[in-house]
Amino acid sequence: MAPFDDIAHIEPAGLDGLILYFSGTCSREVNAKVASCYRALKYAKPQWLKEAIPAYDSLLVLFDLTITDSHGVYAFLRHMPLVLETEKSVKKHRIPVWYGASQANDLAQVCEHTGLTERDIIDLHTATTYRVYAVGFAPGFAYLGDSPEQLSVPRRDTPRTKVPAGAVAIADRQSAVYPSVSPGGWHLLGLSPMAMVDTTKAVAGRLQMGDEVTFFAIDEKQYRSWHEQ
Amino acid sequence: MNNNEITIEHIQMRSLVVDNGRLSGQSEGFSEAGAMDNQAFQLANYLAANPMNTPGLEVLGSITLLFHCDATIAVCGPSCLLTINDTPSDTWCSIDIKCGQKVTISSEKLGHRAYVGIHGNWDIPHIHGSACTVMREQLGGLTGQGNALASQDRIGGQFRLSQQQKKLSEQQRPNYSLVEPFDVVAGYQQRGFSAYALALFYASEYQLSPQCDRMGYRLSGPKISANSKAMRSEGINLGSVQVPGDGQPIIMMRDRQTLGGYPKIGAVASYDIYRLAQAVPGDVISFRPVDMNNARGTWLLKQRIFSHLTKG
């Protein structure tokens, strides 16, 4: 099974880009195919590769026009060998959350939407093993899926102009930790003291495509003392 | 005060430190960034005898610089203006500035971007290989915090005279006319648009709305309806033509976010982006579809002309 066989279709994406689309029976399966193709491409490192941007069900491949054209890229992908996922390549993260922190608390609205109690919400959120489906929107912002169906909430009617760094949020069946202060329309559950991005590093984001993420609850005191440990 | 630096005396509107951008960070969520009009930016560096990725200034409105050293500079842009101690000077050529001189850069037409290349090296932090400012990401620029340039800022570095005098003739400068349609490489969700919607898009004129910034240019004109089949967010290449629910296309520019979920007709060919970058709200533009391979041919040809010019 070569990564190419998982590609459902390919479309041009600008003068120097091809976007590969994958399909499958569930979002996790589709995203695993994207990750597998992305891994194979990064490993093969063809000279023409400028950048590859993976997302939920697609992989945007940008190439150097002086070296190749879309046919060359296509031919390369066609014969690209599979690179097996190793235990080491799936990183597991445990992220502490001070649920209900006053600067990041939409628990009341989430209760209203879902009919759950605050305790239920926290229990469901901490019981879920999330997968990083994509990194984008802002440096180090990881889209995590899937939240249990009961925890699914729409976006806020009015997005916040300023979501604090570390805010843990949900929208639809996704979750995320805002790596830095930014506008945002997701419902906030609390704050994490863990830094999500270090822009001075070669790999800036803590969370990478395909990583596994679980959350655990801490209280205000633990949040405040996190950096002293 | 370090005697080899440049201080900013006065700013009107917005000036940013730019370079070729951070292409390699996009899989981590960093904007591509980079000079909006990459042609004028690179030519300014060429005229200032710099390597092509040396940081430079992108000036919207005007900026006045005070030089505390001798340095060769070059100013490029579709309607750029340069004065030295209030005396008009030439643009699109190498200019030697003397220590103590006051230099003002602006554009005749509001909304045009002027680029300044300064010969030498900058003391400036690089993040993911680039010093380019992205205000939204609080990244890049003089301090690395994503701030636009402000009056009293100091540009530190080793700036000097280049000993090379270069000049571009009218013919050698980029053509900024908006009469020719913009080439669009069809792709992405193109098949999700009806034949009527695509024909309408390519046959119509669009006006640049006031909502144009480094992230994207929002157009106004005939409404294009997309089959609103739900799609997941996906990677957005430079120049992508997004069509949101209101049917008014948005062309994604340098500071675009890396992922987005609106259907796209295709992407404006990268060789046409500099021209679009210098269009201003109220300007009228149109589009034509090009085949990906023909577009590559055009790109290679333009690239060859450019390297003949800059590499002599």
Side-chain angles (χ1 to χ4, degrees), chain B residues 3 8 23 55 78 81 109 125 129 147 204-205 223 236 275 286 289 301 309:
Chain B
N3 61 2
I8 293 164
L23 186 72
L81 300 169
K109 187 170 173 183
N147 298 315
S204 302
E205 289 189 322
K223 192 179 155 172
I236 308 174
R275 207 157 55 98
S286 61
L301 190 67
L309 175 68

Side-chain angles (χ1 to χ4, degrees), chain A residues 197-205, chain B residues 30 125-129 139 144-145:
Chain A
V197 69
D198 180 351
T199 55
T200 60
K201 283 195 179 148
V203 177
Chain B
F30 290 89
H126 278 65
I127 297 153
H128 261 260
L139 276 182
Q145 309 287 308

Side-chain angles (χ1 to χ4, degrees), chain A residues 26-37:
Chain A
C26 67
S27 47
R28 196 165 276 239
E29 185 198 333
V30 177
N31 193 252
K33 290 177 179 176
V34 176
S36 158
C37 190

Side-chain angles (χ1 to χ4, degrees), chain B residues 162-181:
Chain B
S162 78
Q163 319 295 349
Q164 289 181 54
Q165 293 302 318
K166 300 188 237 185
K167 190 173 174 55
L168 295 179
S169 67
E170 291 273 355
Q171 291 76 27
Q172 289 171 318
R173 300 175 195 175
N175 174 6
Y176 290 102
S177 161
L178 299 177
V179 176
E180 281 276 297

Side-chain angles (χ1 to χ4, degrees), chain B:
Chain B
M1 186 184 287
N2 183 341
N3 61 2
N4 194 351
E5 66 173 23
I6 299 162
T7 48
I8 293 164
E9 293 272 294
H10 187 67
I11 295 247
Q12 242 174 19
M13 286 180 74
R14 177 172 292 165
S15 289
L16 302 174
V17 176
V18 296
D19 58 17
N20 284 338
R22 38 185 79 83
L23 186 72
S24 72
Q26 288 181 84
S27 56
E28 290 228 48
F30 290 89
S31 275
E32 177 183 16
M36 289 285 278
D37 173 358
N38 201 253
Q39 291 276 315
F41 167 71
Q42 297 212 34
L43 289 169
N45 263 336
Y46 157 70
L47 294 167
N50 277 333
M52 284 304 174
N53 199 28
T54 308
L57 305 180
E58 180 175 279
V59 179
L60 254 183
S62 78
I63 190 168
T64 300
L65 308 168
L66 179 61
F67 280 71
H68 302 282
C69 56
D70 293 351
T72 303
I73 68 162
V75 176
C76 298
S79 67
C80 58
L81 300 169
L82 166 65
T83 63
I84 302 167
N85 286 348
D86 298 321
T87 306
S89 184
D90 287 339
T91 56
W92 298 98
C93 64
S94 323
I95 295 282
D96 290 345
I97 304 296
K98 298 264 174 307
C99 181
Q101 283 185 325
K102 205 179 267 192
V103 175
T104 299
I105 298 105
S106 61
S107 289
E108 213 172 325
K109 187 170 173 183
L110 186 70
H112 273 168
R113 290 174 164 87
Y115 292 86
V116 189
I118 308 166
H119 183 67
N121 304 308
W122 294 54
D123 292 334
I124 191 169
H126 278 65
I127 297 153
H128 261 260
S130 165
C132 197
T133 316
V134 182
M135 295 177 73
R136 178 172 48 87
E137 293 177 351
Q138 297 143 45
L139 276 182
L142 292 180
T143 60
Q145 309 287 308
N147 298 315
L149 293 170
S151 118
Q152 304 312 318
D153 277 356
R154 295 169 182 190
I155 303 174
Q158 295 76 50
F159 302 113
R160 52 190 177 267
L161 295 171
S162 78
Q163 319 295 349
Q164 289 181 54
Q165 293 302 318
K166 300 188 237 185
K167 190 173 174 55
L168 295 179
S169 67
E170 291 273 355
Q171 291 76 27
Q172 289 171 318
R173 300 175 195 175
N175 174 6
Y176 290 102
S177 161
L178 299 177
V179 176
E180 281 276 297
F182 285 85
D183 285 354
V184 172
V185 178
Y188 278 114
Q189 287 73 35
Q190 191 220 169
R191 291 161 213 263
F193 292 82
S194 70
Y196 173 74
L198 291 174
L200 184 67
F201 174 72
Y202 289 117
S204 302
E205 289 189 322
Y206 284 88
Q207 196 175 43
L208 269 72
S209 81
Q211 282 111 28
C212 290
D213 58 22
R214 289 185 47 95
M215 271 184 89
Y217 281 18
R218 185 181 279 268
L219 309 179
S220 70
K223 192 179 155 172
I224 303 300
S225 49
N227 285 353
S228 53
K229 216 178 88 185
M231 56 173 279
R232 310 304 300 264
S233 285
E234 62 185 25
I236 308 174
N237 201 359
L238 179 65
S240 289
V241 183
Q242 284 193 345
V243 184
D246 66 3
Q248 301 292 298
I250 303 171
I251 303 175
M252 304 306 283
M253 301 298 272
R254 295 276 171 189
D255 283 1
R256 68 195 179 281
Q257 56 194 71
T258 55
L259 302 179
Y262 290 121
K264 295 175 274 304
I265 288 178
V268 172
S270 49
Y271 54 74
D272 259 349
I273 295 292
Y274 81 93
R275 207 157 55 98
L276 185 62
Q278 296 286 13
V280 303
D283 281 345
V284 172
I285 60 173
S286 61
F287 302 94
R288 77 176 155 218
V290 289
D291 170 83
M292 199 178 186
N293 294 305
N294 288 343
R296 178 170 179 262
T298 307
W299 185 89
L300 288 172
L301 190 67
K302 284 179 190 265
Q303 202 61 23
R304 225 183 69 190
I305 295 168
F306 188 81
S307 53
H308 266 293
L309 175 68
T310 55
K311 293 182 185 105

